[in-house]
Amino acid sequence: MTAAAKLLDLQQPTISAHIQRLENEYGVELFLRQGRRLELTTFGRTLLDYTRRAFSGEEDAHALLAAAKNRFVGRLVIHAIGPYNVVPVLKAFGSRHPQVEVSVRVGDSRSITEKLLDYQGDVGVVLNHAEHPELHCMPYRSQRLVVFANREHALARCGEIVLKDLQSQRFVIREEGSTTRRVFESELIARNINIQVALEMGSREAVREAVAQGIGLGVVAETAYVPDPRLVKLKILDTAMATHVDFICRRERQNAPLIATIFDLAKEVRRGLA
């Protein structure tokens, strides 16, 4: 209640009174009260979902009216698995629509999908998107996976390897739920190759540093590989394993001006990558 009051520039008792009046008028319970702690009830969560839809629709209406006057304004929230694919699109967007405030938040594909379904963002950039009836999806690009190693590793001098070279090798990999990890491990299982997981890390940057320190090998999409004098990138010759980048949004919002513009620009950038 205190945080909400601060956000709305009101006094905390005013917010509490509004909530209480709403509950009394409709005979509902929006929050479970446990001392100073509040938790939404099932009804409260349902009402929150409808409220987010209403605010989202209002923002889209403002954007549509602004677009009709040939001046895009507003705010765009994008959730992405990393900067590598979304930044070229945002560069083009920013040069054409500098009045739009863009916020980019980084997460994994699963959490990004959940946030868009919960109206907590406008556009998502994810890996290997699974079909969902409420989401519109546009394939963007494929990214081959590569292995990388500390420069002193025995495989580093090879430059190119085959999958069987990875048998029994120690790896530093992303946590469970990582799409790159899932694709990589599926390929290893299909080819009957076993590796040792030396360390799990929660971010791509953490994996890179652990590999640079010599803890094990790493695997990453080639577009996300960051050169480092301590590292060597190893192309895998006998596999086409890759992740697939998709742009997603809620299906009913795909024609909202700001969202549609992002998708159109992504198509332009995609043609340049072909």
Side-chain angles (χ1 to χ4, degrees):
M1 291 293 180
T2 301
K6 184 177 180 180
L7 182 67
L8 297 171
D9 197 25
L10 296 171
Q11 297 297 313
Q12 186 270 332
T14 303
I15 297 294
S16 298
H18 277 303
I19 295 295
Q20 186 173 8
R21 185 161 60 250
L22 187 63
E23 291 181 319
N24 291 340
E25 182 174 351
Y26 292 98
V28 297
E29 187 177 31
L30 299 176
F31 293 96
L32 295 174
R33 295 164 173 82
Q34 300 177 352
R36 293 176 60 85
R37 183 171 178 271
L38 296 179
E39 182 177 335
L40 281 169
T41 63
T42 300
F43 183 88
R45 284 194 295 271
T46 302
L47 183 60
L48 175 62
D49 181 53
Y50 279 100
T51 304
R52 283 175 170 159
R53 293 187 194 182
F55 278 114
S56 177
E58 182 183 14
E59 290 174 0
D60 289 345
H62 281 298
L64 181 64
L65 291 169
K69 295 177 67 175
N70 294 317
R71 60 178 187 88
F72 279 81
V73 295
R75 187 167 187 266
L76 193 66
V77 177
I78 298 179
H79 295 277
I81 40 110
Y84 310 101
N85 291 294
V86 72
V87 167
V89 177
L90 294 182
K91 180 180 179 181
F93 182 85
S95 66
R96 302 185 192 189
H97 308 295
Q99 293 175 295
V100 178
E101 177 188 349
V102 180
S103 174
V104 179
R105 300 164 188 177
V106 177
D108 60 64
S109 297
R110 182 168 51 192
S111 67
I112 290 172
T113 299
E114 291 172 353
K115 288 182 184 300
L116 259 65
L117 288 171
D118 199 28
Y119 292 90
Q120 295 184 51
D122 301 300
V123 175
V125 184
V126 298
L127 293 178
N128 294 27
H129 169 65
E131 288 297 321
H132 191 287
E134 295 182 33
L135 294 177
H136 168 65
C137 173
M138 184 191 78
Y140 180 64
R141 72 186 304 189
S142 293
Q143 307 178 127
R144 286 184 65 98
L145 299 189
V146 297
V147 169
F148 61 105
N150 176 280
R151 190 167 290 278
E152 303 301 320
H153 194 280
L155 292 178
R157 61 179 175 270
C158 300
E160 298 176 335
I161 60 174
V162 294
L163 271 178
K164 68 179 182 180
D165 292 329
L166 303 180
Q167 179 67 38
S168 301
Q169 293 286 345
R170 290 165 58 83
F171 269 81
V172 181
I173 58 177
R174 292 286 302 276
E175 74 284 2
E176 292 283 353
S178 160
T179 303
T180 298
R181 174 176 178 171
R182 184 172 69 250
V183 171
F184 181 55
E185 290 183 334
S186 295
E187 184 76 359
L188 295 179
I189 292 171
R191 302 284 285 274
N192 197 29
I193 294 170
N194 298 304
I195 63 169
Q196 298 179 46
V197 178
L199 192 62
E200 288 186 2
M201 302 295 274
S203 72
R204 192 179 294 111
E205 294 73 21
V207 170
R208 185 175 70 247
E209 185 58 30
V211 174
Q213 294 286 340
I215 296 176
L217 300 171
V219 61
V220 69
E222 189 165 19
T223 54
Y225 174 76
V226 178
D228 186 304
R230 300 170 295 173
L231 298 173
V232 173
K233 180 174 65 173
L234 304 172
K235 183 178 180 180
I236 312 172
L237 296 176
D238 61 341
T239 180
M241 62 178 173
T243 54
H244 305 280
V245 181
D246 299 312
F247 276 66
I248 62 173
C249 69
R250 287 200 63 98
R251 189 171 297 279
E252 76 271 15
R253 300 190 66 208
Q254 61 182 299
N255 294 319
L258 295 180
I259 294 175
T261 300
I262 286 288
F263 275 71
D264 288 342
L265 290 173
K267 291 176 185 176
E268 289 185 18
V269 174
R270 181 179 62 186
R271 285 194 292 269
L273 296 172

